[in-house]
Amino acid sequence: MTRMTRELVVLGTASAVPTRHRNHNGYLLLWDGQGFLFDPGEGTQRQMTMAGVSAHDVTWICVTHFHGDHCLGVPGVVQRIARDKVSHAVQAAYPASGETYWRRLRHAAAFADTSAITPRPVSGDVVRWPAGPVTLTARPLSHPVESYGYRVDEPDGRRMLPEELTARGIAGPMIGELQRAGSVTLGDGSVVSLADCSVPRPGQSAAIVMDTRLCDDVYALAGGVDLLVIESTFLSAEEALATEYGHLTAAQAGQVARDCGVRRLVLTHFSERYSFADEPRFVEEAAKSFGGEIVTARDLTRVPVPRRRP
Ligand SMILES: [Zn+2]
Ligand SMILES: [Zn+2]
């Protein structure tokens, strides 16, 4: 049975160097039975155990780029998928230019492999795949090595209006028929259309924007999402460093969230120079632009996708 869960399981939140309190990156987005594992950094397999998720929860592995903090956990995860005999298909998206790295990580040690994982190398300006009930999109970012961000979109639907259904005497299986066929014919011969008994319901969405400078595709990825998970490696005092190394500051993340109409902003990928005590400074800088909810991600926490807009 498909679990109707929409939440981010945070597995790791450190940039290049893991710390006593932060594992390398790792983000499992659970969405109605799909499990998008973004950027399994070193130690992800064990973090999954600590977080109470398993290899069976993973349906996609999405690597943004081949810096170690975003991919050194691939060997452990792919070997665990084989060991646990995951029977469903698992797709693996990663920058095509890093094919050599992917192959090494995919076959890093001896193990009894299975055919569960299908590679989906990404190139070009925009790539979209159907992924269960949603669409997964990849777009290129701006970083010293080729990097792609991802977003997940639920298709727009319609919200049924119970009072309109009742007024027309539509109940039980007729509701399903109305939704499938777009109209139903009543006993007296009159036709009721779906539009009479429902209103448009915009789909929900989430985006993962890892290592990048500000660029147009950051905005394309984050546009209108309910949940934005975005790197904020540095505070503004290090903005020059951030730009040089292809990273964002918390203030820039806040500007993106404001400009894109994001609902819940999750800051992560923190430089090892900062401690938990610095988290309020990240929030403060992002909040200068963004008035919505800001979460500074911590390992082994869960962040729900915000409830659907009424
Ligand atoms: Zn990184
Ligand atoms: Zn990087």
Side-chain angles (χ1 to χ4, degrees), residues 14-16 25 65 67 69-70 143 210-211 231 233 247 269:
S15 63
N25 296 288
H65 66 297
H67 277 150
D69 50 323
H70 301 261
H143 196 51
M210 285 297 131
D211 299 14
E231 71 125 310
T233 312
H247 286 298
H269 190 275

Short mmCIF file of all heavy atoms in Angstrom, two decimals, residues 14-16 25 65 67 69-70 143 210-211 231 233 247 269, ligand 1:
data_model
loop_
_atom_site.label_atom_id
_atom_site.label_comp_id
_atom_site.label_asym_id
_atom_site.label_seq_id
_atom_site.Cartn_x
_atom_site.Cartn_y
_atom_site.Cartn_z
N ALA A 14 26.37 18.40 6.63
CA ALA A 14 27.69 19.03 6.57
C ALA A 14 28.14 19.20 5.13
O ALA A 14 27.88 18.35 4.29
CB ALA A 14 28.72 18.18 7.31
N SER A 15 28.84 20.31 4.85
CA SER A 15 29.52 20.43 3.56
C SER A 15 30.81 19.60 3.64
O SER A 15 30.86 18.63 4.39
CB SER A 15 29.76 21.90 3.22
OG SER A 15 30.61 22.49 4.15
N ALA A 16 31.81 19.99 2.94
CA ALA A 16 33.00 19.15 2.67
C ALA A 16 33.48 18.25 3.81
O ALA A 16 33.84 17.11 3.58
CB ALA A 16 34.13 20.05 2.21
N ASN A 25 26.33 15.27 3.66
CA ASN A 25 24.96 15.39 3.14
C ASN A 25 24.24 14.05 3.01
O ASN A 25 24.85 13.01 2.89
CB ASN A 25 25.01 16.00 1.74
CG ASN A 25 25.54 17.40 1.76
OD1 ASN A 25 24.87 18.31 2.21
ND2 ASN A 25 26.77 17.57 1.29
N HIS A 65 26.20 16.30 -7.81
CA HIS A 65 27.53 16.39 -8.44
C HIS A 65 28.48 15.46 -7.70
O HIS A 65 28.16 14.93 -6.63
CB HIS A 65 28.02 17.83 -8.46
CG HIS A 65 28.31 18.44 -7.11
ND1 HIS A 65 27.33 18.64 -6.16
CD2 HIS A 65 29.46 18.89 -6.55
CE1 HIS A 65 27.86 19.20 -5.09
NE2 HIS A 65 29.16 19.35 -5.29
N HIS A 67 31.35 15.80 -6.02
CA HIS A 67 32.23 16.09 -4.88
C HIS A 67 31.88 15.07 -3.80
O HIS A 67 30.72 14.67 -3.66
CB HIS A 67 32.03 17.53 -4.37
CG HIS A 67 32.80 18.55 -5.17
ND1 HIS A 67 32.37 19.85 -5.32
CD2 HIS A 67 33.98 18.45 -5.85
CE1 HIS A 67 33.26 20.52 -6.07
NE2 HIS A 67 34.23 19.68 -6.40
N ASP A 69 31.37 14.95 -0.64
CA ASP A 69 30.32 15.13 0.38
C ASP A 69 28.92 14.85 -0.18
O ASP A 69 27.95 14.76 0.58
CB ASP A 69 30.38 16.54 1.01
CG ASP A 69 30.44 17.68 0.02
OD1 ASP A 69 31.09 17.52 -1.03
OD2 ASP A 69 29.86 18.74 0.30
N HIS A 70 28.82 14.67 -1.50
CA HIS A 70 27.52 14.42 -2.13
C HIS A 70 27.40 13.01 -2.71
O HIS A 70 26.34 12.66 -3.24
CB HIS A 70 27.26 15.47 -3.22
CG HIS A 70 27.26 16.86 -2.68
ND1 HIS A 70 26.11 17.54 -2.38
CD2 HIS A 70 28.29 17.67 -2.33
CE1 HIS A 70 26.43 18.73 -1.87
NE2 HIS A 70 27.75 18.83 -1.83
N HIS A 143 28.76 25.58 -10.44
CA HIS A 143 29.69 25.09 -9.43
C HIS A 143 30.97 24.70 -10.17
O HIS A 143 30.91 24.48 -11.38
CB HIS A 143 29.03 23.86 -8.75
CG HIS A 143 29.64 23.45 -7.45
ND1 HIS A 143 29.86 24.32 -6.41
CD2 HIS A 143 30.07 22.23 -7.00
CE1 HIS A 143 30.39 23.66 -5.39
NE2 HIS A 143 30.53 22.39 -5.73
N MET A 210 21.55 22.08 -4.32
CA MET A 210 22.83 21.96 -3.63
C MET A 210 23.88 22.82 -4.31
O MET A 210 23.53 23.80 -4.93
CB MET A 210 23.24 20.48 -3.55
CG MET A 210 22.43 19.72 -2.51
SD MET A 210 22.69 20.35 -0.82
CE MET A 210 20.99 20.51 -0.30
N ASP A 211 25.13 22.41 -4.25
CA ASP A 211 26.24 23.32 -4.47
C ASP A 211 26.13 24.17 -5.74
O ASP A 211 26.17 23.67 -6.86
CB ASP A 211 27.55 22.52 -4.47
CG ASP A 211 27.76 21.82 -3.13
OD1 ASP A 211 26.81 21.74 -2.35
OD2 ASP A 211 28.89 21.35 -2.90
N GLU A 231 21.39 24.78 -0.17
CA GLU A 231 22.66 24.93 0.54
C GLU A 231 22.84 26.37 1.00
O GLU A 231 22.46 27.33 0.31
CB GLU A 231 23.81 24.54 -0.39
CG GLU A 231 24.09 25.51 -1.53
CD GLU A 231 25.55 25.97 -1.54
OE1 GLU A 231 26.03 26.39 -0.46
OE2 GLU A 231 26.18 25.91 -2.61
N THR A 233 26.12 27.39 2.64
CA THR A 233 27.40 26.98 3.21
C THR A 233 27.96 28.04 4.15
O THR A 233 28.56 27.72 5.18
CB THR A 233 28.41 26.72 2.06
OG1 THR A 233 27.78 25.89 1.09
CG2 THR A 233 29.67 26.05 2.57
N HIS A 247 29.30 28.63 -4.04
CA HIS A 247 28.34 28.32 -2.98
C HIS A 247 27.43 29.50 -2.71
O HIS A 247 27.62 30.59 -3.26
CB HIS A 247 29.09 27.93 -1.69
CG HIS A 247 29.70 26.57 -1.76
ND1 HIS A 247 28.96 25.43 -1.92
CD2 HIS A 247 31.01 26.18 -1.72
CE1 HIS A 247 29.77 24.38 -1.97
NE2 HIS A 247 31.02 24.81 -1.85
N HIS A 269 23.93 22.10 4.43
CA HIS A 269 25.26 22.08 3.81
C HIS A 269 26.13 23.17 4.45
O HIS A 269 26.67 24.03 3.77
CB HIS A 269 25.12 22.28 2.29
CG HIS A 269 26.38 22.04 1.51
ND1 HIS A 269 27.33 23.02 1.33
CD2 HIS A 269 26.87 20.95 0.86
CE1 HIS A 269 28.33 22.55 0.58
NE2 HIS A 269 28.07 21.29 0.30
ZN ZN B 1 29.16 20.16 -1.10
#
